[in-house]
Each structure stands twice: as C-alpha cells, then as structure tokens.
Amino acid sequence: MTPRPRRILSGMQPSGRLHLGNYVGALANWVKLQETHECFYMAADWHAVSTNYAETAQIRPYTREMLIDWLAAGLDPRRSTIFVQSSVPEHAVLHLLLSMIVPVPWLERNPTYKEQQEQLASRDLTTYGFLGYPVLQSADILLYLADEVPVGHDQLPHLELTREIARRFNHLFAEVFPEPKPLLTEAPKLPGTDGRKMSKSYNNAIYLSDPEPTVREKLRTMVTDPARKRRSDPGNPDVCPVFALHNVFSPPTTIERVNADCRTAAIGCIDCKTLVADEIVGRLSPMWERRKALAADPAALDRVVGEGTERARSVARTTLASVNAAMHL
Ligand code: TRP
Ligand code: SF4
C-alpha cells in the first residue's frame, strides 16, 4: 500500500498579472509539487479585500488574470484543485468559528500586522478584518486539513499562528485539525530591469504574459554592472542584475562561462543578455502556447474553476461538519 499523498494548500492574493519573480518565488514550486502532493490552490480574493476595500472593482479582473497565469504556467486542473476563496463560503464560516477562540493579542503581536500597516500607511488598516487576516488564512488551511503549506519566509508567522489555532481548537473541542507544516520555498530574489527587486509597483517587471519581443526588449535595456561603461571594460557579475538572472535561468556551463568571460571582457553585455533572453524565452514559450489555447476557448477557465470549486466545497463541507460536531453546534 502506498501512503496517501500529503495534502498541501496554498493561496495567492490576486494583484493582476504575474511576473517572473512571482514565478520563481512561488508558482514554479506549485507546479512541481503537483508531482508529489495532493494540491489545493486558491485565489485569495477575500484577503485582497482586507487591504484593498477602497478599490474592490479590480479584484475580479485581477483574479481572472492570475488564474490564467496559473494555468499557463502549468497548474494542471486534472491534478490540482484550483478555486476562488469567495466561491467557497465555508471559509467565512470557519473564520467566524475560529475567531471565537483566538485571543486578540495573538493577532496584535503578529509582526506582519504592524509592518503592513506601516508599509501601507496611506490606507486605514485599523479594521477588524485586517487584524483577522491570519485567522482567515488559518481557516483556508485548516478547512482542507492540509499537511503542508508552501510559503515564503514572510508567511511563517501566519503559519505558526495557524498551528497555534489548530492546537487550541483540538484542545478545547476534539482532535479535528492536523498541525500544518510550512514547506519553505527557497527562492532567490529576482531583480527587475532596474536592478531593484522585481515588483509590479517598481515598473521593472517581466510578465509571464509579455510577448516575446517585449521580453527581449526589457532584457536588452536592463541595467548591468554600472562600472562597465565600454565593451572593453571588464565587468563584475557579482554586482550585475543580469547575472542574477543567469543564475536562476541558465544552465551551469553558461553561468560559468559568463562569470569568467565578463571579468576579462571576453563577452559583451549585449551577447550576455541575448544568452539569458534565450533561456527565459525558452521557459516562457510553453506558457505562451497554453495561453493561446485558453484564449481560444473563453469558457475553459470558468469550467476549470467551477470544477475546482465543487471539489473544494465538498472537502470544506465535510470538515465543517466535523467542526460543528466537535463544537456541539
Ligand atoms: N497571505 C498569503 C500571501 O499574501 C496568501 C494566502 C491566503 C495564503 N490564504 C493562504 C497562503 C493560505 C497560504 C495558505 O501570500
Ligand atoms: Fe552583466 Fe553580463 Fe554585462 Fe557582465 S557581461 S556586466 S554579467 S550583462
């Protein structure tokens, strides 16, 4: 007998089209996990409301764009359950029930709570819902009895809180929830075209949905080692953001060659960038193909998400029944 595959759940807030940084930071890992785990992947649109309640009109189109990027990147609805949080109302019910047992100080001492309020100082994030953000996230995870949660470092406090909430529930009522473990995604920070961290808000991102000429043009004009002014000047790959892209996307032989030849000016930046552009284009082109197929069948996305939602709901309903029984409700 082979053991039941471990179950994972992860989520992403819809914030529009995904870029290469999102891909290497999370999505590529999600795609790979399909080979070893039973996967639930959720568009966290309610979480998006917690920080964007003043402009909710974007959330629906952003969700759609993100889901198309997921499928284009290789999330496979035959293997993974892909769904939208707000279509599974059980998340809200479990959030409410958990909120009854979560002490407010647990939420107030969460480091991301204060950090986000400072970072997004122009928005009023003193709301009840924003304080409860990690309770909603806990409900997302516990509803599927997930064994593991693939996340980046920034989400570790939320995971720890989820485990504390699971323990408290199990102790107060009955052993319903396994304690989910974080599956840390060791992702290199990807620089954008200006050398800063790739980010939508810096306007320096290469998007999964950019067509080939755009990708090549963005790379052609990307910043390099600023000290390397002329073709004959030797460069320093250690400070060059283009080299950071090589490190992620190129095979070891290319990385070694660029690393050596840049320092002796044996390779020029134009050729170096063409090499990395070819690698990135190679990685993106299967996504362009899948995107074309999706565009040719506009109902396909709704079908996929509809089926995912049904599968998610049936698991969620079963868990909620155990929760209600444990709480004598
Ligand atoms: N808070 C996560 C983020 O901002 C998104 C998220 C929502 C999530 N629900 C989740 C991640 C459940 C993992 C599990 O990235
Ligand atoms: Fe950067 Fe490549 Fe130019 Fe060296 S050759 S400075 S690694 S772009």
PDB file of all heavy atoms in Angstrom, residues 278-307:
ATOM      1  N   ASP A 278      17.414  34.139 -24.312  1.00  0.00           N
ATOM      2  CA  ASP A 278      17.062  32.853 -24.934  1.00  0.00           C
ATOM      3  C   ASP A 278      16.574  31.855 -23.888  1.00  0.00           C
ATOM      4  O   ASP A 278      15.620  31.110 -24.123  1.00  0.00           O
ATOM      5  CB  ASP A 278      18.268  32.273 -25.686  1.00  0.00           C
ATOM      6  CG  ASP A 278      18.619  33.083 -26.938  1.00  0.00           C
ATOM      7  OD1 ASP A 278      17.755  33.865 -27.389  1.00  0.00           O
ATOM      8  OD2 ASP A 278      19.755  32.941 -27.437  1.00  0.00           O
ATOM      9  N   GLU A 279      17.234  31.836 -22.737  1.00  0.00           N
ATOM     10  CA  GLU A 279      16.819  30.920 -21.675  1.00  0.00           C
ATOM     11  C   GLU A 279      15.410  31.260 -21.174  1.00  0.00           C
ATOM     12  O   GLU A 279      14.574  30.375 -20.976  1.00  0.00           O
ATOM     13  CB  GLU A 279      17.786  30.976 -20.483  1.00  0.00           C
ATOM     14  CG  GLU A 279      19.190  30.484 -20.776  1.00  0.00           C
ATOM     15  CD  GLU A 279      19.225  29.006 -21.140  1.00  0.00           C
ATOM     16  OE1 GLU A 279      18.304  28.259 -20.770  1.00  0.00           O
ATOM     17  OE2 GLU A 279      20.214  28.612 -21.811  1.00  0.00           O
ATOM     18  N   ILE A 280      15.189  32.554 -20.954  1.00  0.00           N
ATOM     19  CA  ILE A 280      13.888  32.965 -20.404  1.00  0.00           C
ATOM     20  C   ILE A 280      12.783  32.726 -21.433  1.00  0.00           C
ATOM     21  O   ILE A 280      11.701  32.228 -21.098  1.00  0.00           O
ATOM     22  CB  ILE A 280      13.962  34.436 -19.925  1.00  0.00           C
ATOM     23  CG1 ILE A 280      14.848  34.490 -18.668  1.00  0.00           C
ATOM     24  CG2 ILE A 280      12.580  34.996 -19.646  1.00  0.00           C
ATOM     25  CD1 ILE A 280      15.154  35.893 -18.161  1.00  0.00           C
ATOM     26  N   VAL A 281      13.069  33.034 -22.684  1.00  0.00           N
ATOM     27  CA  VAL A 281      12.091  32.783 -23.749  1.00  0.00           C
ATOM     28  C   VAL A 281      11.777  31.277 -23.815  1.00  0.00           C
ATOM     29  O   VAL A 281      10.620  30.875 -23.965  1.00  0.00           O
ATOM     30  CB  VAL A 281      12.602  33.328 -25.106  1.00  0.00           C
ATOM     31  CG1 VAL A 281      11.842  32.726 -26.271  1.00  0.00           C
ATOM     32  CG2 VAL A 281      12.488  34.850 -25.123  1.00  0.00           C
ATOM     33  N   GLY A 282      12.808  30.456 -23.646  1.00  0.00           N
ATOM     34  CA  GLY A 282      12.590  29.003 -23.648  1.00  0.00           C
ATOM     35  C   GLY A 282      11.669  28.568 -22.522  1.00  0.00           C
ATOM     36  O   GLY A 282      10.847  27.667 -22.681  1.00  0.00           O
ATOM     37  N   ARG A 283      11.789  29.242 -21.382  1.00  0.00           N
ATOM     38  CA  ARG A 283      10.952  28.905 -20.243  1.00  0.00           C
ATOM     39  C   ARG A 283       9.525  29.413 -20.438  1.00  0.00           C
ATOM     40  O   ARG A 283       8.556  28.796 -20.000  1.00  0.00           O
ATOM     41  CB  ARG A 283      11.548  29.523 -18.973  1.00  0.00           C
ATOM     42  CG  ARG A 283      11.122  28.868 -17.682  1.00  0.00           C
ATOM     43  CD  ARG A 283      11.708  27.475 -17.503  1.00  0.00           C
ATOM     44  NE  ARG A 283      13.116  27.547 -17.196  1.00  0.00           N
ATOM     45  CZ  ARG A 283      13.592  27.650 -15.933  1.00  0.00           C
ATOM     46  NH1 ARG A 283      12.765  27.673 -14.913  1.00  0.00           N
ATOM     47  NH2 ARG A 283      14.887  27.722 -15.727  1.00  0.00           N
ATOM     48  N   LEU A 284       9.394  30.573 -21.088  1.00  0.00           N
ATOM     49  CA  LEU A 284       8.068  31.172 -21.233  1.00  0.00           C
ATOM     50  C   LEU A 284       7.274  30.610 -22.414  1.00  0.00           C
ATOM     51  O   LEU A 284       6.043  30.663 -22.397  1.00  0.00           O
ATOM     52  CB  LEU A 284       8.186  32.700 -21.399  1.00  0.00           C
ATOM     53  CG  LEU A 284       8.649  33.481 -20.167  1.00  0.00           C
ATOM     54  CD1 LEU A 284       8.803  34.963 -20.507  1.00  0.00           C
ATOM     55  CD2 LEU A 284       7.650  33.316 -19.021  1.00  0.00           C
ATOM     56  N   SER A 285       7.972  30.068 -23.417  1.00  0.00           N
ATOM     57  CA  SER A 285       7.212  29.738 -24.628  1.00  0.00           C
ATOM     58  C   SER A 285       6.139  28.661 -24.437  1.00  0.00           C
ATOM     59  O   SER A 285       5.062  28.789 -25.022  1.00  0.00           O
ATOM     60  CB  SER A 285       8.128  29.451 -25.824  1.00  0.00           C
ATOM     61  OG  SER A 285       9.099  28.530 -25.481  1.00  0.00           O
ATOM     62  N   PRO A 286       6.368  27.630 -23.599  1.00  0.00           N
ATOM     63  CA  PRO A 286       5.227  26.721 -23.368  1.00  0.00           C
ATOM     64  C   PRO A 286       4.047  27.436 -22.715  1.00  0.00           C
ATOM     65  O   PRO A 286       2.888  27.066 -22.935  1.00  0.00           O
ATOM     66  CB  PRO A 286       5.786  25.638 -22.433  1.00  0.00           C
ATOM     67  CG  PRO A 286       7.183  26.002 -22.120  1.00  0.00           C
ATOM     68  CD  PRO A 286       7.589  27.190 -22.905  1.00  0.00           C
ATOM     69  N   MET A 287       4.359  28.478 -21.933  1.00  0.00           N
ATOM     70  CA  MET A 287       3.260  29.234 -21.298  1.00  0.00           C
ATOM     71  C   MET A 287       2.485  30.019 -22.353  1.00  0.00           C
ATOM     72  O   MET A 287       1.271  30.144 -22.282  1.00  0.00           O
ATOM     73  CB  MET A 287       3.801  30.199 -20.241  1.00  0.00           C
ATOM     74  CG  MET A 287       4.600  29.532 -19.145  1.00  0.00           C
ATOM     75  SD  MET A 287       4.921  30.683 -17.790  1.00  0.00           S
ATOM     76  CE  MET A 287       6.390  29.942 -17.091  1.00  0.00           C
ATOM     77  N   TRP A 288       3.218  30.571 -23.337  1.00  0.00           N
ATOM     78  CA  TRP A 288       2.532  31.307 -24.409  1.00  0.00           C
ATOM     79  C   TRP A 288       1.602  30.370 -25.169  1.00  0.00           C
ATOM     80  O   TRP A 288       0.498  30.744 -25.548  1.00  0.00           O
ATOM     81  CB  TRP A 288       3.565  31.948 -25.360  1.00  0.00           C
ATOM     82  CG  TRP A 288       4.398  33.007 -24.705  1.00  0.00           C
ATOM     83  CD1 TRP A 288       3.982  33.881 -23.731  1.00  0.00           C
ATOM     84  CD2 TRP A 288       5.779  33.324 -24.964  1.00  0.00           C
ATOM     85  NE1 TRP A 288       5.028  34.716 -23.373  1.00  0.00           N
ATOM     86  CE2 TRP A 288       6.140  34.393 -24.113  1.00  0.00           C
ATOM     87  CE3 TRP A 288       6.741  32.800 -25.832  1.00  0.00           C
ATOM     88  CZ2 TRP A 288       7.409  34.957 -24.104  1.00  0.00           C
ATOM     89  CZ3 TRP A 288       8.008  33.359 -25.829  1.00  0.00           C
ATOM     90  CH2 TRP A 288       8.344  34.421 -24.973  1.00  0.00           C
ATOM     91  N   GLU A 289       2.048  29.132 -25.385  1.00  0.00           N
ATOM     92  CA  GLU A 289       1.219  28.154 -26.099  1.00  0.00           C
ATOM     93  C   GLU A 289      -0.070  27.868 -25.326  1.00  0.00           C
ATOM     94  O   GLU A 289      -1.169  27.887 -25.883  1.00  0.00           O
ATOM     95  CB  GLU A 289       1.992  26.844 -26.313  1.00  0.00           C
ATOM     96  CG  GLU A 289       3.111  26.944 -27.331  1.00  0.00           C
ATOM     97  CD  GLU A 289       2.633  27.515 -28.671  1.00  0.00           C
ATOM     98  OE1 GLU A 289       1.608  27.000 -29.191  1.00  0.00           O
ATOM     99  OE2 GLU A 289       3.262  28.467 -29.175  1.00  0.00           O
ATOM    100  N   ARG A 290       0.083  27.592 -24.033  1.00  0.00           N
ATOM    101  CA  ARG A 290      -1.107  27.275 -23.228  1.00  0.00           C
ATOM    102  C   ARG A 290      -2.042  28.482 -23.134  1.00  0.00           C
ATOM    103  O   ARG A 290      -3.254  28.349 -23.130  1.00  0.00           O
ATOM    104  CB  ARG A 290      -0.696  26.806 -21.835  1.00  0.00           C
ATOM    105  CG  ARG A 290      -0.200  25.354 -21.822  1.00  0.00           C
ATOM    106  CD  ARG A 290      -0.094  24.804 -20.413  1.00  0.00           C
ATOM    107  NE  ARG A 290       1.058  25.336 -19.719  1.00  0.00           N
ATOM    108  CZ  ARG A 290       2.229  24.707 -19.616  1.00  0.00           C
ATOM    109  NH1 ARG A 290       2.380  23.507 -20.142  1.00  0.00           N
ATOM    110  NH2 ARG A 290       3.241  25.263 -18.978  1.00  0.00           N
ATOM    111  N   ARG A 291      -1.440  29.674 -23.099  1.00  0.00           N
ATOM    112  CA  ARG A 291      -2.237  30.887 -23.032  1.00  0.00           C
ATOM    113  C   ARG A 291      -3.080  31.045 -24.303  1.00  0.00           C
ATOM    114  O   ARG A 291      -4.236  31.448 -24.252  1.00  0.00           O
ATOM    115  CB  ARG A 291      -1.291  32.083 -22.873  1.00  0.00           C
ATOM    116  CG  ARG A 291      -1.921  33.364 -22.431  1.00  0.00           C
ATOM    117  CD  ARG A 291      -0.857  34.432 -22.274  1.00  0.00           C
ATOM    118  NE  ARG A 291       0.105  34.114 -21.234  1.00  0.00           N
ATOM    119  CZ  ARG A 291      -0.112  34.316 -19.936  1.00  0.00           C
ATOM    120  NH1 ARG A 291      -1.259  34.839 -19.535  1.00  0.00           N
ATOM    121  NH2 ARG A 291       0.807  33.997 -19.058  1.00  0.00           N
ATOM    122  N   LYS A 292      -2.464  30.697 -25.446  1.00  0.00           N
ATOM    123  CA  LYS A 292      -3.177  30.786 -26.720  1.00  0.00           C
ATOM    124  C   LYS A 292      -4.378  29.843 -26.713  1.00  0.00           C
ATOM    125  O   LYS A 292      -5.479  30.202 -27.116  1.00  0.00           O
ATOM    126  CB  LYS A 292      -2.216  30.411 -27.875  1.00  0.00           C
ATOM    127  CG  LYS A 292      -2.331  31.350 -29.070  1.00  0.00           C
ATOM    128  CD  LYS A 292      -1.511  30.856 -30.267  1.00  0.00           C
ATOM    129  CE  LYS A 292      -0.005  30.890 -30.039  1.00  0.00           C
ATOM    130  NZ  LYS A 292       0.746  30.118 -31.059  1.00  0.00           N
ATOM    131  N   ALA A 293      -4.156  28.630 -26.218  1.00  0.00           N
ATOM    132  CA  ALA A 293      -5.251  27.647 -26.162  1.00  0.00           C
ATOM    133  C   ALA A 293      -6.374  28.151 -25.254  1.00  0.00           C
ATOM    134  O   ALA A 293      -7.564  27.997 -25.565  1.00  0.00           O
ATOM    135  CB  ALA A 293      -4.723  26.301 -25.672  1.00  0.00           C
ATOM    136  N   LEU A 294      -6.009  28.782 -24.142  1.00  0.00           N
ATOM    137  CA  LEU A 294      -7.018  29.298 -23.212  1.00  0.00           C
ATOM    138  C   LEU A 294      -7.808  30.444 -23.845  1.00  0.00           C
ATOM    139  O   LEU A 294      -9.015  30.550 -23.668  1.00  0.00           O
ATOM    140  CB  LEU A 294      -6.348  29.810 -21.936  1.00  0.00           C
ATOM    141  CG  LEU A 294      -5.955  28.763 -20.899  1.00  0.00           C
ATOM    142  CD1 LEU A 294      -5.013  29.365 -19.875  1.00  0.00           C
ATOM    143  CD2 LEU A 294      -7.202  28.218 -20.218  1.00  0.00           C
ATOM    144  N   ALA A 295      -7.101  31.278 -24.609  1.00  0.00           N
ATOM    145  CA  ALA A 295      -7.766  32.421 -25.239  1.00  0.00           C
ATOM    146  C   ALA A 295      -8.747  31.943 -26.313  1.00  0.00           C
ATOM    147  O   ALA A 295      -9.781  32.574 -26.556  1.00  0.00           O
ATOM    148  CB  ALA A 295      -6.725  33.367 -25.843  1.00  0.00           C
ATOM    149  N   ALA A 296      -8.432  30.803 -26.936  1.00  0.00           N
ATOM    150  CA  ALA A 296      -9.295  30.288 -27.998  1.00  0.00           C
ATOM    151  C   ALA A 296     -10.585  29.682 -27.443  1.00  0.00           C
ATOM    152  O   ALA A 296     -11.543  29.453 -28.177  1.00  0.00           O
ATOM    153  CB  ALA A 296      -8.531  29.240 -28.819  1.00  0.00           C
ATOM    154  N   ASP A 297     -10.621  29.415 -26.155  1.00  0.00           N
ATOM    155  CA  ASP A 297     -11.795  28.789 -25.537  1.00  0.00           C
ATOM    156  C   ASP A 297     -12.129  29.543 -24.243  1.00  0.00           C
ATOM    157  O   ASP A 297     -11.768  29.126 -23.156  1.00  0.00           O
ATOM    158  CB  ASP A 297     -11.466  27.308 -25.251  1.00  0.00           C
ATOM    159  CG  ASP A 297     -12.633  26.573 -24.605  1.00  0.00           C
ATOM    160  OD1 ASP A 297     -13.725  27.175 -24.468  1.00  0.00           O
ATOM    161  OD2 ASP A 297     -12.449  25.404 -24.230  1.00  0.00           O
ATOM    162  N   PRO A 298     -12.817  30.684 -24.396  1.00  0.00           N
ATOM    163  CA  PRO A 298     -13.025  31.572 -23.249  1.00  0.00           C
ATOM    164  C   PRO A 298     -13.801  30.914 -22.093  1.00  0.00           C
ATOM    165  O   PRO A 298     -13.682  31.353 -20.949  1.00  0.00           O
ATOM    166  CB  PRO A 298     -13.840  32.734 -23.830  1.00  0.00           C
ATOM    167  CG  PRO A 298     -13.703  32.618 -25.311  1.00  0.00           C
ATOM    168  CD  PRO A 298     -13.438  31.195 -25.632  1.00  0.00           C
ATOM    169  N   ALA A 299     -14.575  29.860 -22.380  1.00  0.00           N
ATOM    170  CA  ALA A 299     -15.335  29.215 -21.306  1.00  0.00           C
ATOM    171  C   ALA A 299     -14.475  28.233 -20.511  1.00  0.00           C
ATOM    172  O   ALA A 299     -14.883  27.764 -19.454  1.00  0.00           O
ATOM    173  CB  ALA A 299     -16.546  28.496 -21.876  1.00  0.00           C
ATOM    174  N   ALA A 300     -13.272  27.933 -21.040  1.00  0.00           N
ATOM    175  CA  ALA A 300     -12.448  26.896 -20.405  1.00  0.00           C
ATOM    176  C   ALA A 300     -12.094  27.267 -18.968  1.00  0.00           C
ATOM    177  O   ALA A 300     -12.168  26.428 -18.062  1.00  0.00           O
ATOM    178  CB  ALA A 300     -11.171  26.666 -21.216  1.00  0.00           C
ATOM    179  N   LEU A 301     -11.733  28.519 -18.733  1.00  0.00           N
ATOM    180  CA  LEU A 301     -11.320  28.938 -17.398  1.00  0.00           C
ATOM    181  C   LEU A 301     -12.471  28.765 -16.404  1.00  0.00           C
ATOM    182  O   LEU A 301     -12.284  28.250 -15.306  1.00  0.00           O
ATOM    183  CB  LEU A 301     -10.852  30.398 -17.428  1.00  0.00           C
ATOM    184  CG  LEU A 301     -10.371  30.925 -16.086  1.00  0.00           C
ATOM    185  CD1 LEU A 301      -9.076  30.240 -15.674  1.00  0.00           C
ATOM    186  CD2 LEU A 301     -10.173  32.432 -16.122  1.00  0.00           C
ATOM    187  N   ASP A 302     -13.678  29.191 -16.822  1.00  0.00           N
ATOM    188  CA  ASP A 302     -14.828  29.065 -15.923  1.00  0.00           C
ATOM    189  C   ASP A 302     -15.112  27.604 -15.612  1.00  0.00           C
ATOM    190  O   ASP A 302     -15.486  27.260 -14.493  1.00  0.00           O
ATOM    191  CB  ASP A 302     -16.067  29.716 -16.556  1.00  0.00           C
ATOM    192  CG  ASP A 302     -15.873  31.219 -16.722  1.00  0.00           C
ATOM    193  OD1 ASP A 302     -15.315  31.840 -15.805  1.00  0.00           O
ATOM    194  OD2 ASP A 302     -16.253  31.757 -17.779  1.00  0.00           O
ATOM    195  N   ARG A 303     -14.920  26.750 -16.613  1.00  0.00           N
ATOM    196  CA  ARG A 303     -15.131  25.307 -16.391  1.00  0.00           C
ATOM    197  C   ARG A 303     -14.151  24.774 -15.351  1.00  0.00           C
ATOM    198  O   ARG A 303     -14.538  24.114 -14.385  1.00  0.00           O
ATOM    199  CB  ARG A 303     -14.929  24.551 -17.708  1.00  0.00           C
ATOM    200  CG  ARG A 303     -16.227  24.063 -18.317  1.00  0.00           C
ATOM    201  CD  ARG A 303     -16.068  23.137 -19.499  1.00  0.00           C
ATOM    202  NE  ARG A 303     -14.826  23.166 -20.214  1.00  0.00           N
ATOM    203  CZ  ARG A 303     -14.596  23.836 -21.354  1.00  0.00           C
ATOM    204  NH1 ARG A 303     -15.552  24.577 -21.898  1.00  0.00           N
ATOM    205  NH2 ARG A 303     -13.426  23.772 -21.948  1.00  0.00           N
ATOM    206  N   VAL A 304     -12.893  25.090 -15.566  1.00  0.00           N
ATOM    207  CA  VAL A 304     -11.842  24.612 -14.653  1.00  0.00           C
ATOM    208  C   VAL A 304     -12.100  25.084 -13.222  1.00  0.00           C
ATOM    209  O   VAL A 304     -12.060  24.300 -12.269  1.00  0.00           O
ATOM    210  CB  VAL A 304     -10.463  25.120 -15.137  1.00  0.00           C
ATOM    211  CG1 VAL A 304      -9.436  25.056 -14.027  1.00  0.00           C
ATOM    212  CG2 VAL A 304     -10.009  24.315 -16.346  1.00  0.00           C
ATOM    213  N   VAL A 305     -12.392  26.370 -13.091  1.00  0.00           N
ATOM    214  CA  VAL A 305     -12.578  26.921 -11.752  1.00  0.00           C
ATOM    215  C   VAL A 305     -13.888  26.419 -11.145  1.00  0.00           C
ATOM    216  O   VAL A 305     -13.967  26.160  -9.940  1.00  0.00           O
ATOM    217  CB  VAL A 305     -12.509  28.462 -11.783  1.00  0.00           C
ATOM    218  CG1 VAL A 305     -12.778  29.049 -10.410  1.00  0.00           C
ATOM    219  CG2 VAL A 305     -11.136  28.904 -12.269  1.00  0.00           C
ATOM    220  N   GLY A 306     -14.894  26.221 -11.985  1.00  0.00           N
ATOM    221  CA  GLY A 306     -16.162  25.675 -11.495  1.00  0.00           C
ATOM    222  C   GLY A 306     -15.960  24.281 -10.913  1.00  0.00           C
ATOM    223  O   GLY A 306     -16.446  23.971  -9.821  1.00  0.00           O
ATOM    224  N   GLU A 307     -15.227  23.450 -11.627  1.00  0.00           N
ATOM    225  CA  GLU A 307     -14.974  22.085 -11.138  1.00  0.00           C
ATOM    226  C   GLU A 307     -14.110  22.109  -9.889  1.00  0.00           C
ATOM    227  O   GLU A 307     -14.351  21.350  -8.939  1.00  0.00           O
ATOM    228  CB  GLU A 307     -14.299  21.240 -12.227  1.00  0.00           C
ATOM    229  CG  GLU A 307     -15.263  20.833 -13.332  1.00  0.00           C
ATOM    230  CD  GLU A 307     -14.562  20.328 -14.595  1.00  0.00           C
ATOM    231  OE1 GLU A 307     -13.361  19.980 -14.521  1.00  0.00           O
ATOM    232  OE2 GLU A 307     -15.223  20.303 -15.654  1.00  0.00           O
TER     233      GLU A 307
END
